[in-house]
Amino acid sequence: MFEQIYEVVRRIPPGRVATYGQIARLLGMPRAARTVGWALHTLPEGIDVPWQRVINARGTISFDPDSPGAVIQRALLEEEGVVFDEKGRIDLDVYGWAGLDLAERQQLLERDP
DNA sequence: CGTATGACGAGCC
DNA sequence: AGGCTCGCCATAC
């Protein structure tokens, strides 16, 4: 389960962001946004997943912006060229990820249980 | 096996 | 705009 989530997150191109709900929808579980958040929250360290490119539907970092993790996330995204507005929001119309194309999505969903 | 727990999201006020 | 309530769902215990 988590592997599939990580797999999708790895497809997000640098400089783009996706929402938790969007990841869930791509995996065919449109209501499991919280699960996606949990998967990234409990991400093993050192694993190759660009977790910083996943934010919430409002375009903000989804936890305390002053926490060390959030500061790192914001720094990583800014390095990739993502711009935060004065309220710490990212414009999803500009930086939002279009998502997988049909073929990629199909391939992902057909993977073994 | 029932409850609790969120890096969520939509809706309502 | 900002805050609160509820529904959701895979894990943890």
Side-chain angles (χ1 to χ4, degrees):
Chain A
M1 164 58 52
F2 285 4
E3 265 313 311
Q4 291 205 344
I5 293 176
Y6 301 151
E7 192 58 38
V8 173
V9 175
R10 277 192 273 257
R11 311 284 186 101
I12 307 173
R16 312 297 291 291
V17 295
T19 70
Y20 299 97
Q22 181 182 4
I23 304 294
R25 284 193 299 276
L26 285 172
L27 290 172
M29 20 180 210
R31 312 281 147 63
R34 303 188 76 143
T35 304
V36 174
W38 192 81
L40 294 181
H41 171 64
T42 63
L43 193 63
E45 235 171 293
I47 182 175
D48 172 36
V49 173
W51 56 273
Q52 74 273 20
R53 301 188 191 132
V54 186
I55 59 179
N56 64 27
R58 301 178 326 223
T60 68
I61 290 178
S62 193
F63 48 99
D64 180 10
D66 297 321
S67 68
V71 171
I72 292 173
Q73 178 169 14
R74 175 164 179 156
L76 288 173
L77 288 174
E78 289 179 328
E79 273 177 37
E80 298 179 354
V82 176
V83 174
F84 290 72
D85 70 13
E86 65 284 351
K87 288 174 185 164
R89 283 195 313 262
I90 296 170
D91 188 343
L92 291 176
D93 290 331
V94 176
Y95 301 101
W97 180 41
L100 302 170
D101 66 35
L102 224 51
E104 289 178 304
R105 191 175 324 192
Q106 200 62 32
Q107 179 188 341
L108 199 63
L109 292 177
E110 281 173 1
R111 265 222 248 308
D112 59 324

